[in-house]
Amino acid sequence: MIFVQLAILLGMILIGSRMKGIGLGVMGMVGLLIFVFVFRMTPAEPPIAVLLIILAIVTTAATLQAAGGLDYLVSIAEHIIRKNPSRITLIAPFTTYFLCLFAGTAHIVYSLLPIISEVAAKQRVRPERPLSVSVIASHLAITGSPMSAASASLASILAYSSASVHIMMICIPAAICGIFASILAVWKKGIELDKDPVFLEKMKDPEFARSMDPMEVDEGKRVHYEPRPGAKTAVAIFGLAIFLIVMFGAFPSLVPHVGGPPSFSVNATGHINLTALIMIITLSASAIIMVVTKTSTVQVAKMSLFTSMATAVVSILGVVWMSATFMLANEAVIEHTFKDIVSAHPWTFAIALFLMGALTFSQAATTRTIMPMGVALGITNPHLLAMFPAVNGDFLLPGYPTLLAAIDFDRTGTTKIGKFVVNHSFMLPGIVAIVVTILVGFVLTGILL
């Protein structure tokens, strides 16, 4: 029976991922309906904490966007990339990583992809190289940022005071090593641009050839960027919110002790728990940004990040609730089947994380769905931290928006999906980055934790 139920679970995820948008969420609810009415399963608790974390964090990021803070951060990243054009394959991925790490979202990479593609092509560097690694770097940033829903979800699942700090301690340096390894992997990937037959054919078009002129002074042709009034202030407030979250995670004694019985907001020791703290700090930062920079609530509600939050909430509610119900109903079977394997070879759990990430296209949903099973199987917290970056399996099938955007922005045609679908431009750097990041993570947990 468990195999029939698993087939339904995977079927709903596959259909939902093809529908895109809220498809994953609504098909997850269909799966839950089948589990409850046909198999008489008891519904698990819905992922309320994760949904509230997403609401709080994305609202704050949208407020930063409305105040012009994201544009200001992108302008800094663009300046760094354009200042080092000959080293674009090295500079662009790390610039992208740290920008997304600070912002807590990979979607900010859309602003950088056309710049990376343009600079690379004019330097006659195959754009596939910096573009592919930059996209992977933007995903890895999610599993190290204290402002991402995935990291906040893992911290709440691990449920110990310094979890968020340990995520940063392990995942950030491990990801940097993984990104560097992926850069080396693509450094000479493919034919050099000035010998690529597709590019040479495109260069026969005079207008395209003029746009690819390496002598063109890009800075002179661009409109000079002036930060909006309050943009820098918004970034400073956002940065302060990150600092406070990290500080409370590093020094649990600073967390307010309010007493009272354990609840959603209070842990067993009577202290405010990390989930509640994140929501309080981020939404307070959002309010302060609005007041100080005179950003209206209407502006915030119109931002792309804010509108995308509805999709994320519906998707995670459906797929995580369905998956959690399946796990709850089959917990004994799963534990009996996999506990010995996972205990002897903890790294095998990373495969489950990676495949679920590839199916759900969501780091937060994958974290909330699979990580509790890791805890139940007895995997230690350090090992779970080391394997956390495996949730970035969303590049396996080239349907994630950041991958498609990179392909579209590469006018030279070097960044592409192969004949067999999985042999796309992002496969090599993605696999190398994830494997190296996890290996380094295991080493770091052995040293630091």
Side-chain angles (χ1 to χ4, degrees):
M1 190 63 71
I2 187 174
F3 294 107
V4 175
Q5 296 166 0
L6 180 61
I8 293 171
L9 174 77
L10 296 177
M12 294 301 108
I13 291 173
L14 286 171
I15 295 170
S17 63
R18 284 182 173 274
M19 291 170 65
K20 305 248 174 21
I22 63 170
L24 197 60
V26 295
M27 292 311 299
M29 283 301 184
V30 172
L32 181 61
L33 184 146
I34 295 171
F35 287 161
V36 172
F37 284 91
V38 177
F39 295 97
R40 300 295 179 180
M41 292 183 181
T42 302
E45 287 295 318
I48 300 299
V50 173
L51 299 180
L52 292 178
I53 285 172
I54 291 172
L55 185 149
I57 288 176
V58 175
T59 297
T60 308
T63 306
L64 180 68
Q65 184 182 24
L70 281 185
D71 287 339
Y72 175 61
L73 290 173
V74 169
S75 72
I76 295 173
E78 179 181 353
H79 176 72
I80 294 171
I81 290 170
R82 290 187 184 276
K83 194 174 180 181
N84 302 274
S86 62
R87 294 186 289 275
I88 184 75
T89 305
L90 178 65
I91 298 297
F94 284 115
T95 303
T96 300
Y97 175 77
F98 286 110
L99 177 65
C100 295
L101 185 73
F102 182 84
T105 173
H107 296 297
I108 197 174
V109 76
Y110 299 130
S111 303
L112 294 180
L113 293 176
I115 298 164
I116 295 169
S117 178
E118 173 194 355
V119 173
K122 290 185 176 183
Q123 289 294 314
R124 297 300 184 264
V125 174
R126 190 176 178 86
E128 176 187 32
R129 299 167 185 169
L131 281 172
S132 61
V133 184
S134 295
V135 167
I136 299 302
S138 71
H139 295 188
L140 280 173
I142 301 306
T143 47
S145 172
M147 295 299 283
S148 77
S151 294
S153 298
L154 179 61
S156 67
I157 290 167
L158 298 182
Y160 66 95
S161 57
S162 55
S164 59
V165 176
H166 287 174
I167 291 171
M168 296 175 65
M169 284 172 56
I170 301 303
C171 294
I172 292 178
I176 290 172
C177 293
I179 293 167
F180 184 71
S182 64
I183 290 171
L184 295 178
V186 303
W187 193 261
K188 291 294 182 181
K189 183 185 178 186
I191 306 170
E192 294 300 329
L193 190 59
D194 55 7
K195 297 177 182 177
D196 188 290
V198 176
F199 177 71
L200 294 176
E201 184 65 28
K202 288 176 178 285
M203 286 293 285
K204 293 178 182 178
D205 180 354
E207 186 176 345
F208 180 84
R210 279 195 300 272
S211 71
M212 291 290 115
D213 184 0
M215 299 303 292
E216 185 178 297
V217 183
D218 293 322
E219 293 291 340
K221 292 182 72 69
R222 291 169 57 237
V223 176
H224 181 64
Y225 171 78
E226 282 291 340
R228 284 176 50 185
K232 295 181 181 179
T233 303
V235 171
I237 295 169
F238 190 80
L240 178 61
I242 295 175
F243 172 76
L244 289 175
I245 291 171
V246 173
M247 184 184 69
F248 283 124
F251 303 101
S253 60
L254 299 177
V255 176
H257 184 275
V258 295
S263 65
F264 177 83
S265 303
V266 181
N267 60 27
T269 64
H271 290 82
I272 298 292
N273 65 34
L274 186 62
T275 300
L277 269 177
I278 290 173
M279 290 188 287
I280 293 169
I281 292 171
T282 53
L283 286 177
S284 296
S286 179
I288 295 170
I289 291 173
M290 290 184 208
V291 172
V292 173
T293 66
K294 296 181 173 58
T295 300
S296 73
T297 55
V298 175
Q299 284 178 286
V300 175
K302 290 180 178 178
M303 290 296 102
S304 59
L305 283 178
F306 192 85
T307 55
S308 68
M309 178 172 59
T311 300
V313 167
V314 173
S315 296
I316 289 174
L317 174 61
V319 75
V320 172
W321 201 0
M322 172 184 66
S323 302
T325 299
F326 171 81
M327 298 293 182
L328 180 65
N330 298 285
E331 186 174 6
V333 177
I334 293 171
E335 185 173 345
H336 176 74
T337 304
F338 296 107
K339 188 166 187 177
D340 290 341
I341 298 173
V342 171
S343 298
H345 308 286
W347 61 269
T348 56
F349 186 68
I351 299 173
L353 290 170
F354 181 80
L355 293 177
M356 182 58 77
L359 290 172
T360 64
F361 286 136
S362 170
Q363 293 96 334
T366 301
T367 301
R368 188 61 197 174
T369 301
I370 300 295
M371 279 299 186
M373 184 173 73
V375 175
L377 289 172
I379 300 176
T380 64
N381 288 339
H383 286 165
L384 289 175
L385 290 173
M387 292 182 283
F388 181 37
V391 302
N392 292 294
D394 44 17
F395 67 86
L396 185 65
L397 301 174
Y400 199 76
T402 53
L403 277 70
L404 298 177
I407 293 169
D408 290 339
F409 283 128
D410 183 0
R411 294 190 296 145
T412 68
T414 61
T415 309
K416 56 186 180 293
I417 298 172
K419 184 185 298 184
F420 304 104
V421 181
V422 292
N423 59 328
H424 52 74
S425 296
F426 309 90
M427 184 62 77
L428 175 62
I431 294 294
V432 170
I434 295 296
V435 170
V436 172
T437 300
I438 292 173
L439 290 175
V440 174
F442 272 105
V443 173
L444 290 176
T445 55
I447 297 172
L448 301 176
L449 302 181

